[in-house]
Amino acid sequence: MSIIKFIKNLKKINRTLFTTPSHNQGRGGAPCVLNLLGKKFFSCDISEIEGADNLANPIGIIKQAQDNASHIYNSKSTFFLTNGSTSGIIAGMNAVLSRNDKVLITRNCHKAVYNGLVITGAIPIWLMPHYNRDWGVYEQVNLDYLEETLSKNKDIKLFVMTNPSYEGLMSDIQAINEICKKYKVKLLVDEAHGALWNFHKALGTPALLQGADIVVQSLHKTAGALNPSALLHIGQDSDIDPNSIQQSLNLITTTSPSYPLLLNIEGTINYLNSDKGKFEISQLVKNVNRMIRNLRAVPNLEVFTYNNDVTKILVKITNMSGFELSDILFEKYNIEDELANEKSVLFLTGIGTTKSKLKKLEKALIEISSNNIKITQDEENYNIFSNVEPRVKYTPALVWKMPYKEVELKYAISRVSMELILDYPPGIPILIPGEVIKKEHIDYLKNRKKIKVLI
Ligand SMILES: Cc1ncc(COP(=O)(O)O)c(C=O)c1O
């Protein structure tokens, strides 16, 4: 039986529950919340009652749903995550790494990878992606640089990378995987933004089909599921033990997983894999491609189209910073983007993005670019970290409990940071606890008065 069917049936069998959650299918829920979410939502919110299985050790309906997903995705095993890709990344790292193991990480990783460093006690080695100043984005993993780094550090156990990048840039996972396998390094791909890829050929190629050992996907980012639904897959040919993933997930996730999310994950996967779901994805691809074609014909406006995921639209307008463009869109057109940088603006689309919504954005962008009289370039906000090699003095795990003090920014140079500093979004670390603070960091943080450093 599916999770959805089990929950639908619950009403029919009229079981009297003396279990958590105490809202009792909504009867005890706060009226204002009930009003907003509806009683139906509450009635799906159950605990591990008889027949509902247990996400921490699935043997019934959850196992069946995960096995079905594994079949659809062509994985060795698939795990449902109700704590987002964040939990999948941490659990994946924890399953492979022990304290003081070396892990290679692309610096444009999400902060979840930092959390994984704290939990595992592993030593990070950073792979710095090339920074594209024209667009204000990090580029794909450079294969020569990867090979060189792995050949110099023979004891690296795991390579953690993000694909596609937050802005949609796609790396050559097959080639990366071959290099990793040559050096006996496991590959974990944070594919949080690639959850539609398994269902349409015009999108990127899923890392799972290119040999990655562990792949983590957020179903809520592009694939239409509720926040924070995600999946962790183990690759078909990987020797990662599914039990080690389960144990790691159990270590860091709640013992009361949300059944609304579990049934949502199950339903979303089946929908994406259905004719209707695939049709909707193909409509999305068609509509975005049409919009991009139209925008490319507009003077003074550029769309990033170099080997990137079509669901992420990166746009810039001549003589206007991304921040300025973002402000105008918000204030004049009531359009909110995902992210702006000094050069460009990122718009995320997904299975719920309609043609009319894209048209509204297209019209606004065309209007702004034709009326563009601004010529202020916000050069000061340039990503000054593009060429700053992180200097790791202590592992994040070691620093976690070390004594620290706050010092004025000007006294912080050469000291060791106790703070995780990042802009969110995209959640890419600028400074990680345990790293040496350099002049570039101080320059960037000039609006702050103090910073926490190790004593
Ligand atoms: C690249 C990347 N990885 C991981 C995550 C974390 O995903 P989740 O929100 O599903 O925990 C994010 C969230 O923004 C992300 O952008």
Side-chain angles (χ1 to χ4, degrees), residues 62-93:
I62 295 177
K63 176 165 177 8
Q64 225 172 296
Q66 291 190 154
D67 287 350
N68 176 48
S70 170
H71 179 70
I72 290 173
Y73 285 89
N74 199 11
S75 69
K76 180 167 144 185
S77 302
T78 292
F79 297 82
F80 288 5
L81 311 175
T82 59
N83 292 72
S85 285
T86 299
S87 62
I89 290 166
I90 298 171
M93 289 173 72

Short mmCIF file of all heavy atoms in Angstrom, two decimals, residues 62-93:
data_model
loop_
_atom_site.label_atom_id
_atom_site.label_comp_id
_atom_site.label_asym_id
_atom_site.label_seq_id
_atom_site.Cartn_x
_atom_site.Cartn_y
_atom_site.Cartn_z
N ILE A 62 6.69 2.84 3.97
CA ILE A 62 7.76 3.80 3.61
C ILE A 62 8.83 3.09 2.80
O ILE A 62 9.33 3.60 1.79
CB ILE A 62 8.36 4.47 4.88
CG1 ILE A 62 7.29 5.31 5.57
CG2 ILE A 62 9.55 5.32 4.51
CD1 ILE A 62 7.72 5.96 6.87
N LYS A 63 9.15 1.86 3.21
CA LYS A 63 10.15 1.09 2.45
C LYS A 63 9.67 0.88 1.01
O LYS A 63 10.43 1.05 0.05
CB LYS A 63 10.42 -0.25 3.13
CG LYS A 63 11.37 -1.11 2.31
CD LYS A 63 11.94 -2.25 3.09
CE LYS A 63 12.85 -3.18 2.31
NZ LYS A 63 13.24 -2.84 0.97
N GLN A 64 8.39 0.56 0.90
CA GLN A 64 7.82 0.33 -0.43
C GLN A 64 7.94 1.59 -1.30
O GLN A 64 8.30 1.51 -2.46
CB GLN A 64 6.35 -0.01 -0.25
CG GLN A 64 5.87 -1.19 -1.07
CD GLN A 64 4.44 -1.52 -0.64
OE1 GLN A 64 4.19 -1.90 0.49
NE2 GLN A 64 3.52 -1.33 -1.55
N ALA A 65 7.63 2.73 -0.69
CA ALA A 65 7.69 3.99 -1.44
C ALA A 65 9.13 4.33 -1.81
O ALA A 65 9.41 4.80 -2.92
CB ALA A 65 7.08 5.12 -0.60
N GLN A 66 10.06 4.06 -0.89
CA GLN A 66 11.48 4.34 -1.18
C GLN A 66 12.00 3.39 -2.27
O GLN A 66 12.75 3.80 -3.15
CB GLN A 66 12.32 4.23 0.09
CG GLN A 66 12.02 5.36 1.08
CD GLN A 66 12.99 5.43 2.27
OE1 GLN A 66 13.18 6.48 2.84
NE2 GLN A 66 13.59 4.31 2.64
N ASP A 67 11.58 2.13 -2.21
CA ASP A 67 12.01 1.16 -3.23
C ASP A 67 11.47 1.56 -4.61
O ASP A 67 12.16 1.45 -5.63
CB ASP A 67 11.52 -0.26 -2.89
CG ASP A 67 12.32 -0.86 -1.73
OD1 ASP A 67 13.35 -0.25 -1.35
OD2 ASP A 67 11.91 -1.91 -1.20
N ASN A 68 10.22 2.02 -4.60
CA ASN A 68 9.61 2.48 -5.86
C ASN A 68 10.42 3.65 -6.43
O ASN A 68 10.73 3.71 -7.62
CB ASN A 68 8.15 2.89 -5.57
CG ASN A 68 7.48 3.47 -6.79
OD1 ASN A 68 7.55 2.90 -7.87
ND2 ASN A 68 6.84 4.63 -6.64
N ALA A 69 10.80 4.58 -5.52
CA ALA A 69 11.59 5.73 -5.96
C ALA A 69 12.95 5.27 -6.50
O ALA A 69 13.42 5.75 -7.53
CB ALA A 69 11.77 6.70 -4.80
N SER A 70 13.55 4.33 -5.80
CA SER A 70 14.86 3.82 -6.22
C SER A 70 14.79 3.24 -7.64
O SER A 70 15.69 3.43 -8.46
CB SER A 70 15.31 2.75 -5.21
OG SER A 70 16.43 2.09 -5.68
N HIS A 71 13.68 2.57 -7.91
CA HIS A 71 13.48 1.99 -9.23
C HIS A 71 13.35 3.11 -10.28
O HIS A 71 13.96 3.05 -11.35
CB HIS A 71 12.20 1.12 -9.18
CG HIS A 71 11.87 0.50 -10.48
ND1 HIS A 71 12.63 -0.52 -11.02
CD2 HIS A 71 10.88 0.75 -11.37
CE1 HIS A 71 12.11 -0.87 -12.18
NE2 HIS A 71 11.05 -0.11 -12.42
N ILE A 72 12.57 4.13 -9.94
CA ILE A 72 12.36 5.24 -10.88
C ILE A 72 13.67 5.98 -11.16
O ILE A 72 13.98 6.32 -12.30
CB ILE A 72 11.29 6.22 -10.32
CG1 ILE A 72 9.92 5.54 -10.35
CG2 ILE A 72 11.27 7.54 -11.08
CD1 ILE A 72 8.81 6.33 -9.66
N TYR A 73 14.45 6.20 -10.11
CA TYR A 73 15.69 6.98 -10.27
C TYR A 73 16.88 6.14 -10.71
O TYR A 73 17.93 6.67 -11.02
CB TYR A 73 16.04 7.70 -8.95
CG TYR A 73 15.17 8.89 -8.66
CD1 TYR A 73 13.99 8.76 -7.96
CD2 TYR A 73 15.51 10.16 -9.12
CE1 TYR A 73 13.18 9.85 -7.69
CE2 TYR A 73 14.71 11.26 -8.87
CZ TYR A 73 13.54 11.10 -8.16
OH TYR A 73 12.74 12.18 -7.91
N ASN A 74 16.70 4.80 -10.68
CA ASN A 74 17.79 3.88 -11.02
C ASN A 74 18.95 4.00 -10.02
O ASN A 74 20.11 4.12 -10.40
CB ASN A 74 18.27 4.16 -12.44
CG ASN A 74 19.03 2.98 -13.01
OD1 ASN A 74 19.03 1.90 -12.41
ND2 ASN A 74 19.70 3.19 -14.12
N SER A 75 18.61 3.99 -8.76
CA SER A 75 19.64 4.07 -7.72
C SER A 75 19.80 2.70 -7.05
O SER A 75 18.97 1.82 -7.26
CB SER A 75 19.21 5.08 -6.65
OG SER A 75 18.10 4.57 -5.93
N LYS A 76 20.85 2.58 -6.24
CA LYS A 76 20.98 1.35 -5.44
C LYS A 76 19.99 1.42 -4.28
O LYS A 76 19.33 0.45 -3.95
CB LYS A 76 22.42 1.26 -4.92
CG LYS A 76 22.73 0.06 -4.09
CD LYS A 76 24.25 -0.05 -3.93
CE LYS A 76 24.64 -0.55 -2.58
NZ LYS A 76 26.09 -0.54 -2.40
N SER A 77 19.90 2.59 -3.66
CA SER A 77 18.90 2.83 -2.61
C SER A 77 18.52 4.31 -2.64
O SER A 77 19.36 5.16 -2.98
CB SER A 77 19.47 2.59 -1.21
OG SER A 77 19.95 1.32 -1.06
N THR A 78 17.30 4.59 -2.26
CA THR A 78 16.85 5.98 -2.16
C THR A 78 16.21 6.19 -0.79
O THR A 78 15.47 5.34 -0.31
CB THR A 78 15.84 6.30 -3.29
OG1 THR A 78 16.55 6.28 -4.53
CG2 THR A 78 15.19 7.66 -3.10
N PHE A 79 16.54 7.31 -0.18
CA PHE A 79 16.02 7.66 1.15
C PHE A 79 15.18 8.92 1.05
O PHE A 79 15.61 9.90 0.43
CB PHE A 79 17.17 7.90 2.13
CG PHE A 79 18.04 6.69 2.35
CD1 PHE A 79 19.05 6.35 1.44
CD2 PHE A 79 17.85 5.88 3.46
CE1 PHE A 79 19.83 5.22 1.63
CE2 PHE A 79 18.63 4.74 3.66
CZ PHE A 79 19.62 4.42 2.74
N PHE A 80 14.02 8.91 1.69
CA PHE A 80 13.19 10.12 1.76
C PHE A 80 13.71 10.99 2.91
O PHE A 80 13.94 10.50 4.02
CB PHE A 80 11.72 9.77 2.04
CG PHE A 80 10.99 9.14 0.89
CD1 PHE A 80 11.64 8.81 -0.29
CD2 PHE A 80 9.61 8.88 0.98
CE1 PHE A 80 10.96 8.22 -1.36
CE2 PHE A 80 8.92 8.30 -0.09
CZ PHE A 80 9.60 7.97 -1.25
N LEU A 81 13.84 12.28 2.64
CA LEU A 81 14.35 13.21 3.65
C LEU A 81 13.29 14.26 3.97
O LEU A 81 12.84 14.96 3.05
CB LEU A 81 15.62 13.92 3.16
CG LEU A 81 16.73 13.04 2.55
CD1 LEU A 81 17.85 13.93 2.00
CD2 LEU A 81 17.29 12.10 3.62
N THR A 82 12.91 14.35 5.23
CA THR A 82 11.96 15.40 5.60
C THR A 82 12.67 16.57 6.29
O THR A 82 12.03 17.44 6.85
CB THR A 82 10.84 14.84 6.52
OG1 THR A 82 11.45 14.30 7.68
CG2 THR A 82 10.03 13.78 5.81
N ASN A 83 13.99 16.54 6.24
CA ASN A 83 14.78 17.66 6.77
C ASN A 83 15.64 18.28 5.67
O ASN A 83 16.72 18.81 5.94
CB ASN A 83 15.70 17.21 7.91
CG ASN A 83 14.94 16.80 9.13
OD1 ASN A 83 14.30 15.75 9.13
ND2 ASN A 83 14.97 17.60 10.17
N GLY A 84 15.16 18.19 4.44
CA GLY A 84 15.84 18.86 3.34
C GLY A 84 17.15 18.21 2.89
O GLY A 84 17.63 17.25 3.49
N SER A 85 17.71 18.78 1.82
CA SER A 85 19.01 18.31 1.33
C SER A 85 20.08 18.51 2.39
O SER A 85 21.08 17.78 2.43
CB SER A 85 19.41 19.10 0.08
OG SER A 85 18.68 18.66 -1.02
N THR A 86 19.86 19.50 3.25
CA THR A 86 20.81 19.74 4.34
C THR A 86 21.09 18.45 5.09
O THR A 86 22.26 18.09 5.31
CB THR A 86 20.22 20.81 5.30
OG1 THR A 86 20.02 22.00 4.55
CG2 THR A 86 21.13 21.08 6.47
N SER A 87 20.04 17.73 5.46
CA SER A 87 20.24 16.49 6.23
C SER A 87 20.91 15.42 5.37
O SER A 87 21.72 14.63 5.86
CB SER A 87 18.91 15.97 6.79
OG SER A 87 18.01 15.66 5.75
N GLY A 88 20.59 15.39 4.07
CA GLY A 88 21.19 14.39 3.19
C GLY A 88 22.68 14.61 3.02
O GLY A 88 23.47 13.67 2.99
N ILE A 89 23.06 15.89 2.91
CA ILE A 89 24.49 16.20 2.73
C ILE A 89 25.27 15.81 3.99
O ILE A 89 26.32 15.15 3.92
CB ILE A 89 24.65 17.71 2.42
CG1 ILE A 89 24.11 18.00 1.02
CG2 ILE A 89 26.11 18.14 2.54
CD1 ILE A 89 23.91 19.47 0.71
N ILE A 90 24.72 16.16 5.14
CA ILE A 90 25.42 15.84 6.39
C ILE A 90 25.50 14.32 6.57
O ILE A 90 26.56 13.77 6.90
CB ILE A 90 24.72 16.50 7.60
CG1 ILE A 90 24.74 18.02 7.46
CG2 ILE A 90 25.37 16.07 8.92
CD1 ILE A 90 23.89 18.76 8.48
N ALA A 91 24.38 13.65 6.32
CA ALA A 91 24.37 12.19 6.52
C ALA A 91 25.31 11.50 5.52
O ALA A 91 26.02 10.56 5.87
CB ALA A 91 22.95 11.65 6.36
N GLY A 92 25.30 11.99 4.29
CA GLY A 92 26.18 11.40 3.27
C GLY A 92 27.65 11.56 3.66
O GLY A 92 28.45 10.62 3.55
N MET A 93 28.00 12.75 4.15
CA MET A 93 29.39 12.98 4.58
C MET A 93 29.73 12.08 5.77
O MET A 93 30.79 11.47 5.84
CB MET A 93 29.58 14.46 4.96
CG MET A 93 29.57 15.40 3.76
SD MET A 93 29.60 17.14 4.24
CE MET A 93 31.30 17.34 4.81
#
